[in-house]
Amino acid sequence: MTAQNNSPFLFNDFANAATLLTNALVSKKESYLLLVGDSGSGKTALTRYVCEKLDKNSITPLYICARPALQINITSILAKYLHLPITICCSRTETAHLVTMALQNTSTPVLLIIDEAQFLLDNTLQELRLLVEAHFMSQPLLSILLCGLPSIFERLATPQLFPVMRRFKTKIRLRGLLLE
């Protein structure tokens, strides 16, 4: 069975995933989203499609690819994106504080999309959780969409990352090119 003719996707799991992601992002009730699938299953294409459909006045997507062997400092990337005057003298904590202050003042919420998320280091995943929840008494400062191979499930299920995993309410698994 294929998706409806007006859908850009040939298979139902793509159309269903697009609907789930779009609804979760538009509702702004979920700050943690997880999209997994085997290599070539369409995770990046699906993410691009959903971002194109979003109202740019209600959410601002920021895409990062976590290539292998790349140690990502999320706060530094966000600081650059937010055009903050970060110097070498700023510690990681100071940078994080500046980023959270800037995120509070953005006109639209930021959706941080991290592709190839299975390559993120444990401390980077913990850093993401702290940034999302940095402002305790208000809505989360940003949302994250992790896209990666199914192995990210096992990583997130470990005791040290369980606090991160339990926050993901929207977990989507793309099956790719299966007969339907």
Side-chain angles (χ1 to χ4, degrees):
M1 180 192 305
T2 59
Q4 295 177 346
N5 291 340
N6 60 355
S7 172
F9 304 114
L10 296 176
F11 300 95
N12 284 333
D13 71 335
F14 288 93
N16 294 339
T19 300
L20 282 170
L21 275 179
T22 303
N23 290 345
L25 291 168
V26 169
S27 74
K28 297 181 183 174
K29 292 181 181 176
E30 296 185 42
S31 300
Y32 296 87
L33 305 126
L34 184 60
L35 175 62
V36 299
D38 293 325
S39 183
S41 62
K43 300 177 296 293
T44 304
L46 175 66
T47 302
R48 190 175 295 123
Y49 171 78
V50 168
C51 286
E52 288 172 1
K53 298 294 180 192
L54 292 173
D55 177 9
K56 302 302 181 250
N57 294 319
S58 65
I59 196 160
T60 303
L62 172 60
Y63 176 86
I64 299 169
C65 183
R67 293 180 297 273
L70 177 66
Q71 293 197 11
I72 295 180
N73 181 338
I74 296 296
T75 54
S76 292
I77 290 171
L78 285 170
K80 288 177 187 172
Y81 169 75
L82 295 165
H83 307 289
L84 297 176
I86 304 302
T87 65
I88 293 175
C89 298
C90 285
S91 70
R92 199 169 186 161
T93 303
E94 291 168 326
T95 303
H97 177 71
L98 291 171
V99 166
T100 58
M101 298 302 289
L103 285 170
Q104 287 176 340
N105 296 321
T106 58
S107 57
T108 59
V110 173
L111 169 63
L112 182 60
I113 303 162
I114 302 179
D115 206 354
E116 304 295 342
Q118 71 274 6
F119 294 117
L120 291 175
L121 300 174
D122 289 359
N123 63 346
T124 303
L125 289 163
Q126 293 286 7
E127 180 182 8
L128 282 169
R129 181 180 66 87
L130 294 174
L131 281 171
V132 171
E133 299 170 10
H135 195 45
F136 183 69
M137 297 301 288
S138 71
Q139 291 289 78
L141 298 176
L142 72 150
S143 297
I144 57 170
L145 169 58
L146 298 184
C147 305
L149 296 177
S151 62
I152 195 159
F153 277 130
E154 291 108 40
R155 290 245 344 270
L156 290 170
T158 60
Q160 64 270 25
L161 291 176
F162 182 75
V164 177
M165 176 62 154
R166 70 181 184 86
R167 286 167 167 78
F168 286 94
K169 290 187 177 58
T170 299
K171 299 174 194 143
I172 301 168
R173 170 83 191 255
L174 288 181
R175 303 283 180 207
L177 301 176
L178 299 176
L179 292 175
E180 296 182 346

